[in-house]
């Protein structure tokens, strides 16, 4: 049954609210161990307890948060690419299973690097006052690596690549195409800002809204790069065709040599 007019608009809005909420709840459920330690981390006050919760989050994140986020990105990918009526539950868990290994190994890689950079940044900024420039460099690298996570999850569900290529390209796109990544960060910050004021927003829509916005920007970057590559390929093909035409029209290649023609004429006379 299809509604028209105002009722049709309300029905579509309700449908999208349901999609975002359902996919977000699935993401939270599959990431439950990570968010349990996160909530505990926010409630404890002791330094040792906070450190323990940080380690716990770092350990469970690659095995829970990363695969669940990849599955969430697989769902929003379908929406961005024009297929909103996809079955969310089956797609989510199918993608969770298919991308589990790559997202888990990639999660271990990211967590290790982030921890190393955070430790280096803290050491250089607090214990080596004359080497704080290195700490600032570490902070910049830390931000780039963290922000590249948006591209990592987008690429892991959009391409069939080896994990090493995905990791490398996620960082490279972040560096060479910063505008869309900055837009993703600003949009995510806005969602988190309102989420802190209205916690229900984070619970029902936080992850799915951020994932949708992140993949939307990634897909816009991907489409633009693809168009540029096709234009470059077409230009090279046109230049090649033009050079082939010039070679075929060159009179020096088609006219016989004067000495050769004289020999042929003398041969005929004899």
């Amino acid at each position: 049954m299809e509604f028209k007019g105002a009722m049709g608009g309300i029905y579509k809005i309700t449908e999208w609210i349901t999609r975002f909420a359902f996919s977000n709840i699935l993401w939270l459920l599959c990431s439950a161990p990570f968010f349990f330690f996160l909530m505990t981390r926010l409630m404890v006050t002791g330094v040792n307890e906070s450190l323990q919760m940080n380690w716990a989050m770092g350990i469970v994140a690659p095995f829970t948060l990363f695969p669940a986020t990849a599955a969430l990105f697989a769902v929003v990918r379908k929406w961005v690419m024009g297929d909103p009526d996809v079955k969310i539950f089956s797609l989510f868990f199918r993608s969770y299973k298919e991308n589990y290994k790559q997202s888990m190994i990639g999660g271990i890689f990211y967590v290790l690097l982030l921890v190393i950079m955070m430790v280096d940044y803290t050491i250089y900024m607090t214990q080596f006052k004359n080497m704080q420039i290195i700490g600032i460099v570490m902070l910049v690298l830390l931000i780039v690596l963290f922000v590249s996570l948006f591209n990592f999850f987008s690429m892991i569900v959009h391409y069939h690549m080896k994990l090493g290529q995905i990791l490398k390209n996620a960082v490279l796109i972040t560096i060479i195409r910063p505008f869309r990544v900055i837009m993703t960060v600003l949009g995510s910050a806005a969602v988190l800002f309102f989420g802190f004021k209205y916690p229900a927003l984070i619970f029902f829509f936080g992850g799915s809204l951020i994932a949708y916005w992140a993949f939307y920007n990634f897909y816009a970057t991907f489409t633009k790069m693809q168009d540029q590559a096709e234009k470059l390929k077409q230009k090279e093909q046109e230049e090649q065709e033009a050079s082939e035409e010039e070679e075929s029209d060159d009179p020096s290649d088609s006219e016989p040599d004067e000495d050769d023609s004289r020999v042929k004429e003398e041969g005929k006379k004899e």
Side-chain angles (χ1 to χ4, degrees):
M1 183 176 180
E2 186 176 349
F3 296 98
K4 295 182 179 179
M7 285 299 296
I10 294 171
Y11 177 76
K12 286 183 179 180
I13 292 171
T14 307
E15 234 183 357
W16 277 108
I17 290 173
T18 305
R19 287 171 185 149
F20 277 101
F22 184 49
S23 59
N24 199 76
I25 290 172
L26 289 176
W27 174 65
L28 288 175
L29 288 174
C30 292
S31 308
F34 175 84
F35 286 107
F36 170 78
F37 291 122
L38 177 61
M39 295 303 296
T40 307
R41 168 68 177 80
L42 295 175
M43 289 186 291
V44 299
T45 55
V47 177
N48 290 334
E49 291 83 356
S50 298
L51 186 61
Q52 289 174 0
M53 291 303 104
N54 289 341
W55 279 109
M57 286 189 294
I59 291 170
V60 302
F63 304 98
T64 58
L65 180 65
F66 276 76
T69 306
L72 180 62
F73 269 73
V75 173
V76 300
R77 171 181 175 269
K78 288 288 186 180
W79 299 346
V80 172
M81 296 182 69
D83 189 9
D85 297 323
V86 66
K87 295 180 179 179
I88 296 172
F89 187 87
S90 58
L91 174 61
F92 185 93
F93 284 103
R94 185 173 71 250
S95 302
Y96 186 93
K97 181 180 178 181
E98 290 175 355
N99 298 314
Y100 186 88
K101 184 177 179 181
Q102 276 194 327
S103 57
M104 182 263 292
I105 297 173
I108 294 172
F109 172 82
Y110 266 100
V111 169
L112 285 175
L113 275 184
L114 289 171
V115 168
I116 291 170
M117 289 181 179
M118 287 178 69
V119 171
D120 287 344
Y121 168 74
T122 304
I123 290 174
Y124 281 112
M125 296 302 288
T126 57
Q127 298 183 16
F128 299 97
K129 297 292 184 180
N130 57 339
M131 300 180 69
Q132 287 186 346
I133 186 66
I134 300 178
I136 295 172
V137 171
M138 284 294 173
L139 178 62
V140 173
L141 293 175
L142 182 66
I143 293 171
V144 170
L145 185 67
F146 181 77
V147 171
S148 71
L149 277 167
F150 293 115
N151 288 327
F152 169 76
F153 288 117
S154 298
M155 293 183 72
I156 209 169
V157 299
H158 194 64
Y159 292 110
H160 293 287
M161 286 183 181
K162 293 182 179 179
L163 181 60
Q165 291 178 310
I166 292 175
L167 293 169
K168 180 183 70 175
N169 291 330
V171 176
L172 284 175
I173 291 177
T174 303
I175 295 171
I176 65 177
R177 299 282 181 174
F179 176 74
R180 286 287 181 177
V181 179
I182 292 171
M183 294 295 293
T184 299
V185 172
L186 293 176
S188 302
V191 172
L192 293 175
F193 173 77
F194 288 106
F196 283 120
K197 287 192 171 184
Y198 310 100
L201 177 66
I202 291 291
F203 182 79
F204 288 106
F205 308 107
S208 54
L209 281 174
I210 291 173
Y212 183 91
W213 180 237
F215 190 84
Y216 174 83
N217 284 306
F218 166 81
Y219 192 64
T221 301
F222 164 77
T223 305
K224 187 175 180 179
M225 292 174 65
Q226 194 175 38
D227 291 341
Q228 289 175 345
E230 288 178 359
K231 287 179 181 177
L232 183 62
K233 186 177 179 181
Q234 185 178 0
K235 184 178 178 181
E236 290 177 352
Q237 188 175 358
E238 290 175 355
E239 289 177 353
Q240 185 178 359
E241 289 176 356
S243 64
E244 289 176 357
E245 289 178 2
E246 287 178 0
E247 289 177 0
S248 62
D249 294 340
D250 191 351
S252 61
D253 293 335
S254 58
E255 293 181 0
D257 187 72
E258 189 176 343
D259 294 336
D260 292 341
S261 61
R262 189 180 300 144
V263 170
K264 287 180 182 178
E265 289 177 1
E266 290 177 354
K268 287 179 182 178
K269 289 178 183 177
E270 293 176 357

